[in-house]
Amino acid sequence: MNHINNVIRKVLNSVYPSVCPVCQQTVARPGVCQECIGTIKLIGDRGCAVCGKPLARGEAGRCQACRSMPKQFDCNYVLVEYKGQAQLSIYNFKYSNARSFAEGYARMFFDAYGHQLDRYNIDAVIPVPMSRSKLKKRGYNQAEVWAASLARELNKPLDAKALIRNRDTLPMKELSSRMRIENLRGAFSINKNIIGKYRTVLLVDDIFTTGATLDECALMLKKAGVQKVYGACIAAGD
Protein backbone atom coordinates (compact mmCIF):
# COMPACT_ATOMS: atom_id res chain seq x y z
CA MET A 1 0.00 0.00 0.00
CA ASN A 2 2.77 2.44 0.91
CA HIS A 3 4.56 1.73 -2.41
CA ILE A 4 1.33 2.36 -4.32
CA ASN A 5 0.76 5.65 -2.50
CA ASN A 6 4.30 6.77 -3.30
CA VAL A 7 3.74 6.03 -6.98
CA ILE A 8 0.43 7.94 -6.94
CA ARG A 9 2.11 10.89 -5.24
CA LYS A 10 4.92 10.99 -7.82
CA VAL A 11 2.44 10.90 -10.70
CA LEU A 12 0.34 13.67 -9.17
CA ASN A 13 3.44 15.79 -8.54
CA SER A 14 4.49 15.41 -12.16
CA VAL A 15 1.08 16.59 -13.39
CA TYR A 16 0.26 19.06 -10.61
CA PRO A 17 3.47 20.46 -9.04
CA SER A 18 3.22 21.20 -5.33
CA VAL A 19 2.38 24.81 -4.55
CA CYS A 20 2.26 26.81 -1.35
CA PRO A 21 -1.46 27.08 -0.47
CA VAL A 22 -0.95 30.70 0.62
CA CYS A 23 1.14 32.39 -2.10
CA GLN A 24 0.62 29.65 -4.74
CA GLN A 25 4.30 29.56 -5.65
CA THR A 26 5.83 26.18 -6.54
CA VAL A 27 7.51 24.46 -3.59
CA ALA A 28 9.91 21.53 -3.41
CA ARG A 29 8.03 19.94 -0.51
CA PRO A 30 4.24 20.11 -0.06
CA GLY A 31 3.13 22.65 2.54
CA VAL A 32 3.23 26.36 3.29
CA CYS A 33 6.53 27.92 2.18
CA GLN A 34 8.94 29.52 4.63
CA GLU A 35 7.98 33.01 3.48
CA CYS A 36 4.30 32.39 4.28
CA ILE A 37 4.44 30.17 7.37
CA GLY A 38 4.38 33.22 9.63
CA THR A 39 1.12 34.46 8.09
CA ILE A 40 -0.97 31.54 9.35
CA LYS A 41 -1.68 30.40 12.91
CA LEU A 42 -0.99 26.72 13.52
CA ILE A 43 -3.04 25.35 16.42
CA GLY A 44 -0.89 22.45 17.61
CA ASP A 45 -1.02 21.97 21.37
CA ARG A 46 -3.18 25.11 21.81
CA GLY A 47 -6.23 23.11 20.76
CA CYS A 48 -9.07 21.70 22.87
CA ALA A 49 -8.43 18.03 23.64
CA VAL A 50 -11.87 17.17 22.22
CA CYS A 51 -12.85 19.52 19.37
CA GLY A 52 -9.41 20.88 18.45
CA LYS A 53 -10.42 24.56 18.44
CA PRO A 54 -7.95 26.99 20.04
CA LEU A 55 -8.49 27.26 23.78
CA ALA A 56 -9.50 30.62 25.18
CA ARG A 57 -7.37 32.39 27.74
CA GLY A 58 -7.66 30.59 31.06
CA GLU A 59 -8.96 27.34 29.54
CA ALA A 60 -7.02 24.10 29.88
CA GLY A 61 -7.65 20.68 28.39
CA ARG A 62 -11.20 21.03 27.08
CA CYS A 63 -12.95 24.20 25.94
CA GLN A 64 -16.11 25.42 27.64
CA ALA A 65 -18.33 24.21 24.79
CA CYS A 66 -17.01 20.64 25.06
CA ARG A 67 -17.30 20.72 28.85
CA SER A 68 -20.96 21.75 28.68
CA MET A 69 -22.04 19.44 25.85
CA PRO A 70 -20.35 16.06 25.17
CA LYS A 71 -19.51 15.28 21.55
CA GLN A 72 -20.30 12.17 19.52
CA PHE A 73 -16.85 12.13 17.91
CA ASP A 74 -14.01 10.96 20.14
CA CYS A 75 -11.46 13.62 19.26
CA ASN A 76 -10.98 16.15 16.47
CA TYR A 77 -7.66 17.50 15.18
CA VAL A 78 -7.39 20.91 13.49
CA LEU A 79 -4.38 22.34 11.67
CA VAL A 80 -4.85 26.14 11.54
CA GLU A 81 -7.07 28.97 12.69
CA TYR A 82 -9.56 30.14 10.09
CA LYS A 83 -8.38 33.74 9.82
CA GLY A 84 -6.03 35.93 7.81
CA GLN A 85 -4.13 34.28 4.96
CA ALA A 86 -5.37 30.82 5.95
CA GLN A 87 -8.98 31.95 5.52
CA LEU A 88 -8.26 33.32 2.04
CA SER A 89 -6.36 30.16 1.12
CA ILE A 90 -9.17 27.84 2.19
CA TYR A 91 -11.73 30.02 0.42
CA ASN A 92 -9.78 29.54 -2.80
CA PHE A 93 -9.50 25.83 -2.10
CA LYS A 94 -13.29 25.57 -1.71
CA TYR A 95 -14.57 27.90 -4.39
CA SER A 96 -11.78 28.61 -6.90
CA ASN A 97 -10.82 25.06 -7.86
CA ALA A 98 -7.48 25.29 -6.01
CA ARG A 99 -7.50 21.54 -5.36
CA SER A 100 -3.71 21.36 -5.34
CA PHE A 101 -3.77 23.07 -1.93
CA ALA A 102 -5.02 19.85 -0.36
CA GLU A 103 -1.67 18.12 -0.72
CA GLY A 104 0.19 20.83 1.18
CA TYR A 105 -2.30 20.92 4.02
CA ALA A 106 -2.33 17.12 4.20
CA ARG A 107 1.46 16.96 4.52
CA MET A 108 1.42 19.62 7.25
CA PHE A 109 -1.38 17.81 9.06
CA PHE A 110 0.56 14.56 8.91
CA ASP A 111 3.66 16.25 10.28
CA ALA A 112 1.63 17.71 13.16
CA TYR A 113 -0.66 14.81 14.08
CA GLY A 114 0.37 11.72 12.12
CA HIS A 115 2.09 10.09 15.10
CA GLN A 116 -1.07 10.51 17.21
CA LEU A 117 -3.44 9.20 14.55
CA ASP A 118 -1.20 6.20 13.94
CA ARG A 119 -2.04 4.94 17.43
CA TYR A 120 -5.73 4.62 16.60
CA ASN A 121 -5.44 1.90 13.93
CA ILE A 122 -7.82 3.73 11.58
CA ASP A 123 -9.67 1.50 9.14
CA ALA A 124 -10.75 4.18 6.67
CA VAL A 125 -10.73 7.91 5.98
CA ILE A 126 -14.28 9.16 5.37
CA PRO A 127 -15.03 12.68 4.07
CA VAL A 128 -18.15 14.60 5.05
CA PRO A 129 -20.26 14.29 1.88
CA MET A 130 -21.72 17.09 -0.21
CA SER A 131 -25.26 17.14 -1.59
CA ARG A 132 -25.73 16.26 -5.25
CA SER A 133 -27.02 19.74 -6.12
CA LYS A 134 -24.06 21.51 -4.53
CA LEU A 135 -21.60 19.00 -6.01
CA LYS A 136 -23.05 19.60 -9.46
CA LYS A 137 -22.77 23.35 -9.03
CA ARG A 138 -19.23 23.40 -7.59
CA GLY A 139 -17.80 20.44 -9.50
CA TYR A 140 -15.99 18.85 -6.57
CA ASN A 141 -16.31 18.18 -2.85
CA GLN A 142 -13.40 19.95 -1.18
CA ALA A 143 -13.68 17.71 1.90
CA GLU A 144 -13.24 14.64 -0.30
CA VAL A 145 -10.24 16.16 -2.13
CA TRP A 146 -8.60 17.00 1.19
CA ALA A 147 -9.51 13.56 2.61
CA ALA A 148 -7.92 11.82 -0.39
CA SER A 149 -4.63 13.67 0.13
CA LEU A 150 -4.73 12.97 3.86
CA ALA A 151 -5.47 9.27 3.27
CA ARG A 152 -2.35 9.02 1.10
CA GLU A 153 -0.23 10.67 3.80
CA LEU A 154 -1.61 8.34 6.47
CA ASN A 155 -1.39 5.31 4.18
CA LYS A 156 -5.07 4.52 4.83
CA PRO A 157 -7.92 3.74 2.41
CA LEU A 158 -10.32 6.51 1.40
CA ASP A 159 -14.05 5.67 1.51
CA ALA A 160 -16.25 8.39 0.02
CA LYS A 161 -19.33 6.14 -0.21
CA ALA A 162 -19.87 5.03 3.39
CA LEU A 163 -21.54 8.28 4.42
CA ILE A 164 -24.35 9.76 2.31
CA ARG A 165 -25.66 13.34 2.21
CA ASN A 166 -29.40 13.40 1.64
CA ARG A 167 -29.97 17.15 1.37
CA ASP A 168 -28.45 20.59 1.82
CA THR A 169 -28.43 22.25 5.23
CA LEU A 170 -28.37 25.87 6.37
CA PRO A 171 -25.13 27.43 7.70
CA MET A 172 -24.84 26.50 11.38
CA LYS A 173 -23.15 29.61 12.76
CA GLU A 174 -26.28 31.75 13.22
CA LEU A 175 -28.59 28.94 14.38
CA SER A 176 -29.55 28.12 17.95
CA SER A 177 -28.76 24.69 19.40
CA ARG A 178 -32.34 23.51 18.77
CA MET A 179 -32.33 24.85 15.21
CA ARG A 180 -29.03 23.08 14.49
CA ILE A 181 -30.55 19.77 15.53
CA GLU A 182 -33.56 20.34 13.28
CA ASN A 183 -31.35 21.55 10.44
CA LEU A 184 -29.35 18.31 10.49
CA ARG A 185 -32.22 15.92 11.09
CA GLY A 186 -32.21 13.39 8.24
CA ALA A 187 -29.41 15.19 6.40
CA PHE A 188 -27.09 12.14 6.47
CA SER A 189 -27.47 8.40 6.14
CA ILE A 190 -25.16 5.40 6.08
CA ASN A 191 -24.31 2.87 3.38
CA LYS A 192 -24.86 -0.18 5.56
CA ASN A 193 -23.30 -2.50 2.97
CA ILE A 194 -19.95 -0.79 3.59
CA ILE A 195 -19.85 0.55 7.12
CA GLY A 196 -20.06 -2.81 8.90
CA LYS A 197 -16.39 -3.58 8.23
CA TYR A 198 -15.10 -0.50 10.07
CA ARG A 199 -14.37 -0.21 13.79
CA THR A 200 -12.37 3.04 13.78
CA VAL A 201 -12.62 5.81 11.18
CA LEU A 202 -11.20 9.26 10.52
CA LEU A 203 -14.01 11.67 9.62
CA VAL A 204 -12.73 14.56 7.49
CA ASP A 205 -14.11 18.04 6.83
CA ASP A 206 -12.49 21.29 5.75
CA ILE A 207 -13.65 23.79 8.40
CA PHE A 208 -14.80 23.21 11.99
CA THR A 209 -17.09 25.91 13.38
CA THR A 210 -19.86 24.76 15.71
CA GLY A 211 -18.99 21.09 15.26
CA ALA A 212 -22.63 20.19 14.65
CA THR A 213 -22.05 18.59 11.24
CA LEU A 214 -19.10 16.51 12.43
CA ASP A 215 -21.10 15.50 15.49
CA GLU A 216 -24.13 14.40 13.46
CA CYS A 217 -21.98 12.36 11.07
CA ALA A 218 -20.19 10.72 14.01
CA LEU A 219 -23.55 9.87 15.58
CA MET A 220 -24.75 8.19 12.36
CA LEU A 221 -21.50 6.23 12.05
CA LYS A 222 -21.67 5.01 15.63
CA LYS A 223 -25.32 4.03 15.31
CA ALA A 224 -24.23 1.89 12.36
CA GLY A 225 -21.64 0.08 14.48
CA VAL A 226 -18.45 2.13 14.24
CA GLN A 227 -16.82 2.18 17.66
CA LYS A 228 -14.43 5.14 17.38
CA VAL A 229 -14.74 8.26 15.24
CA TYR A 230 -11.85 10.73 15.08
CA GLY A 231 -11.99 13.99 13.17
CA ALA A 232 -9.58 15.92 10.95
CA CYS A 233 -10.17 19.49 9.74
CA ILE A 234 -7.93 21.98 8.02
CA ALA A 235 -9.16 24.97 9.99
CA ALA A 236 -11.29 26.03 12.94
CA GLY A 237 -13.36 29.22 12.92
CA ASP A 238 -15.70 31.06 15.28
Side-chain angles (χ1 to χ4, degrees), residues 16-40 85 89-90 92 98 100-105 108:
Y16 304 103
S18 297
V19 297
C20 169
V22 176
C23 68
Q24 302 187 43
Q25 296 300 308
T26 301
V27 291
R29 185 180 188 275
V32 175
C33 70
Q34 290 301 309
E35 288 74 16
C36 294
I37 194 66
T39 68
I40 63 174
Q85 291 300 311
S89 171
I90 295 168
N92 288 330
S100 60
F101 290 6
E103 183 185 16
Y105 282 127
M108 293 174 67

Side-chain angles (χ1 to χ4, degrees), residues 120-176:
Y120 300 141
N121 296 317
I122 292 166
D123 295 312
V125 177
I126 298 177
V128 171
M130 180 181 284
S131 68
R132 290 183 179 180
S133 59
K134 187 174 289 187
L135 183 60
K136 184 177 180 180
K137 180 179 180 180
R138 190 174 302 175
Y140 64 102
N141 175 6
Q142 74 279 352
E144 183 176 341
V145 174
W146 145 241
S149 291
L150 189 54
R152 287 193 292 271
E153 291 293 336
L154 296 170
N155 196 29
K156 299 294 182 180
L158 174 74
D159 191 332
K161 296 182 178 180
L163 194 59
I164 302 164
R165 185 119 190 190
N166 299 319
R167 59 176 176 81
D168 279 331
T169 53
L170 298 171
M172 297 290 182
K173 186 176 180 179
E174 305 301 327
L175 302 180
S176 66

Side-chain angles (χ1 to χ4, degrees), residues 27-216:
V27 291
R29 185 180 188 275
V32 175
C33 70
Q34 290 301 309
E35 288 74 16
C36 294
I37 194 66
T39 68
I40 63 174
K41 292 189 176 182
L42 296 170
I43 294 176
D45 57 8
R46 297 186 296 113
C48 168
V50 179
C51 72
K53 294 185 75 170
L55 293 167
R57 186 182 299 273
E59 290 181 331
R62 292 180 296 165
C63 67
Q64 183 57 42
C66 289
R67 290 178 186 274
S68 61
M69 184 173 293
K71 299 295 187 288
Q72 296 296 328
F73 54 84
D74 293 272
C75 180
N76 182 50
Y77 296 91
V78 186
L79 184 63
V80 300
E81 294 186 45
Y82 189 59
K83 56 180 58 175
Q85 291 300 311
Q87 183 174 357
L88 178 60
S89 171
I90 295 168
Y91 181 90
N92 288 330
F93 172 55
K94 291 182 66 169
Y95 301 111
S96 299
N97 201 27
R99 301 186 218 189
S100 60
F101 290 6
E103 183 185 16
Y105 282 127
R107 179 66 61 85
M108 293 174 67
F109 192 95
F110 178 80
D111 290 344
Y113 304 120
H115 64 290
Q116 298 179 51
L117 294 174
D118 188 55
R119 298 178 302 176
Y120 300 141
N121 296 317
I122 292 166
D123 295 312
V125 177
I126 298 177
V128 171
M130 180 181 284
S131 68
R132 290 183 179 180
S133 59
K134 187 174 289 187
L135 183 60
K136 184 177 180 180
K137 180 179 180 180
R138 190 174 302 175
Y140 64 102
N141 175 6
Q142 74 279 352
E144 183 176 341
V145 174
W146 145 241
S149 291
L150 189 54
R152 287 193 292 271
E153 291 293 336
L154 296 170
N155 196 29
K156 299 294 182 180
L158 174 74
D159 191 332
K161 296 182 178 180
L163 194 59
I164 302 164
R165 185 119 190 190
N166 299 319
R167 59 176 176 81
D168 279 331
T169 53
L170 298 171
M172 297 290 182
K173 186 176 180 179
E174 305 301 327
L175 302 180
S176 66
S177 297
R178 177 180 294 181
M179 292 173 68
R180 289 171 192 166
I181 293 173
E182 291 300 319
N183 188 34
L184 288 167
R185 194 183 303 278
F188 300 96
S189 57
I190 296 293
N191 186 335
K192 295 181 179 179
N193 294 326
I194 295 176
I195 206 64
K197 61 185 178 180
Y198 301 140
R199 295 169 61 86
T200 303
V201 302
L202 184 66
L203 181 62
V204 176
D205 205 356
D206 56 342
I207 304 171
F208 185 100
T209 49
T210 67
T213 299
L214 207 69
D215 216 41
E216 180 67 13

Side-chain angles (χ1 to χ4, degrees), residues 5-25:
N5 283 339
N6 287 336
V7 171
I8 293 174
R9 187 177 294 111
K10 288 180 180 179
V11 171
L12 289 175
N13 286 341
S14 67
V15 179
Y16 304 103
S18 297
V19 297
C20 169
V22 176
C23 68
Q24 302 187 43
Q25 296 300 308

